[in-house]
Amino acid sequence: VGLAHVQHLLARAARPRSDTQHSALVLTGSRRFAQLVNYETTQPLKEQGDVNPKMLDVSKANSKYYNPHHFDPQNLDYQQDVRLSVRDELPDELEPSDFAESLYKQLWMSELLWPPLFMSTWAAFEADHIIHYPWEKGALSPMFRGEHALRRYPTGEERCIACKLCEAACPAFAIVIESEPRPDGSRRTTKYDIDMTKCIFCGYCQEACPVDAIVEGPNYEYSTFLHEELLYDKKKLLENGDKWEPQLARIMEVKTRTR
């Protein structure tokens, strides 16, 4: 900033304010709000002295959008007004160079080309992650909780001792057990029903069982057409245990090591 400009600013600050300048601040309560000034339409007063550079004469803005009354189509020098540097007039005719430049910007140098090209090339050489179910199946965790089953001992004797801890632990009340003593003094179940439509597969029953009789196996393919087919009785549960015993034995071995 030159010395002459600083002296000019000091001289303007020492002048008394006019009524127009005093009205720029409006006192409302305990706050002061500055009135908005439209520098495109507000012209400086003659008594204010030098013209503020922020207050531009709209007649010099040669644009049909800013001042259609003073628009001169023969004088289209947009650099005369900085406000029009980013808002040009519409061209009268289109040239092939305009199309080429537009295509270059929108297609060749844009996100419409390079990200899809890169990702498609990457995916073309990526390994196939598709599992062709049901001929191929994914690996299951030992902690997977699927269809219920009642297990037996290697001698063929059923493990359940009718303690009813699983029935008491079930939060969905899906298990119903009835039992009676045997002639040898042992106690075994006469009724072991599970409503699979009530079960929430929380695993509380198999965690509460002291002899690992009731378990949730790896089978998840047991959809049915009828609701009655999902009401499992003791016979159905023992059949599931006999069918899945090799897998259940390995799963319980892993669970026993992690307990």
Side-chain angles (χ1 to χ4, degrees), residues 192-213:
Y192 198 117
D193 294 345
I194 297 181
D195 189 348
M196 298 295 289
T197 60
K198 290 183 178 180
C199 178
I200 61 175
F201 299 91
C202 60
Y204 287 175
C205 55
Q206 65 179 1
E207 295 297 331
C209 184
V211 292
D212 295 334

Side-chain angles (χ1 to χ4, degrees), residues 18-35:
S18 62
D19 297 338
T20 304
Q21 292 175 330
H22 279 291
S23 62
L25 294 178
V26 180
L27 184 62
T28 304
S30 61
R31 299 184 180 181
R32 291 178 179 268
F33 298 92
Q35 290 182 345

Side-chain angles (χ1 to χ4, degrees), residues 197-242:
T197 60
K198 290 183 178 180
C199 178
I200 61 175
F201 299 91
C202 60
Y204 287 175
C205 55
Q206 65 179 1
E207 295 297 331
C209 184
V211 292
D212 295 334
I214 181 69
V215 293
E216 294 186 42
N219 184 29
Y220 54 86
E221 300 171 309
Y222 54 93
S223 60
T224 61
F225 289 97
L226 300 178
H227 172 264
E228 290 77 7
E229 298 181 63
L230 293 175
L231 303 178
Y232 288 6
D233 56 2
K234 181 178 179 180
K235 179 182 178 181
K236 173 64 175 178
L237 294 172
L238 288 175
E239 290 177 355
N240 290 343
D242 298 338

Side-chain angles (χ1 to χ4, degrees), residues 56 174 176 212 256:
L56 302 176
V176 177
D212 295 334
T256 303

Side-chain angles (χ1 to χ4, degrees), residues 45-240:
L45 300 178
K46 295 182 179 180
E47 59 270 12
Q48 290 183 0
D50 298 334
V51 177
N52 192 329
K54 294 183 178 180
M55 296 184 178
L56 302 176
D57 189 0
V58 294
S59 62
K60 297 180 181 179
N62 186 29
S63 171
K64 60 184 177 182
Y65 300 110
Y66 282 92
N67 198 333
H69 304 287
H70 297 82
F71 175 65
D72 184 10
Q74 303 298 327
N75 182 18
L76 298 179
D77 188 3
Y78 304 112
Q79 302 302 325
Q80 293 181 358
D81 196 332
V82 69
R83 297 172 298 176
L84 303 177
S85 60
V86 295
R87 191 173 182 180
D88 299 342
E89 303 293 338
L90 296 177
D92 297 333
E93 59 184 8
L94 296 177
E95 299 180 358
S97 60
D98 299 332
F99 287 102
E101 183 179 1
S102 178
L103 290 176
Y104 178 77
K105 291 181 179 179
Q106 296 182 8
L107 297 180
W108 184 253
M109 295 300 294
S110 72
E111 68 277 4
L112 300 178
L113 173 66
W114 295 111
L117 181 62
F118 174 78
M119 296 304 298
S120 59
T121 306
W122 179 281
F125 296 95
E126 195 175 11
D128 187 10
H129 300 290
I130 299 177
I131 297 179
H132 301 277
Y133 183 85
W135 299 277
E136 298 177 1
K137 299 179 182 179
L140 291 179
S141 169
M143 304 303 294
F144 179 80
R145 297 191 288 266
E147 188 182 25
H148 294 66
L150 279 177
R151 300 179 62 204
R152 300 177 185 267
Y153 287 110
T155 58
E157 180 68 19
E158 58 183 79
R159 290 175 175 262
C160 182
I161 57 176
C163 63
K164 298 186 179 181
L165 289 178
C166 55
E167 181 182 8
C170 181
F173 304 102
I175 303 177
V176 177
I177 298 177
E178 295 180 2
S179 63
E180 64 180 14
R182 290 186 176 181
D184 58 355
S186 62
R187 184 177 55 183
R188 291 294 183 268
T189 58
T190 58
K191 177 181 179 180
Y192 198 117
D193 294 345
I194 297 181
D195 189 348
M196 298 295 289
T197 60
K198 290 183 178 180
C199 178
I200 61 175
F201 299 91
C202 60
Y204 287 175
C205 55
Q206 65 179 1
E207 295 297 331
C209 184
V211 292
D212 295 334
I214 181 69
V215 293
E216 294 186 42
N219 184 29
Y220 54 86
E221 300 171 309
Y222 54 93
S223 60
T224 61
F225 289 97
L226 300 178
H227 172 264
E228 290 77 7
E229 298 181 63
L230 293 175
L231 303 178
Y232 288 6
D233 56 2
K234 181 178 179 180
K235 179 182 178 181
K236 173 64 175 178
L237 294 172
L238 288 175
E239 290 177 355
N240 290 343

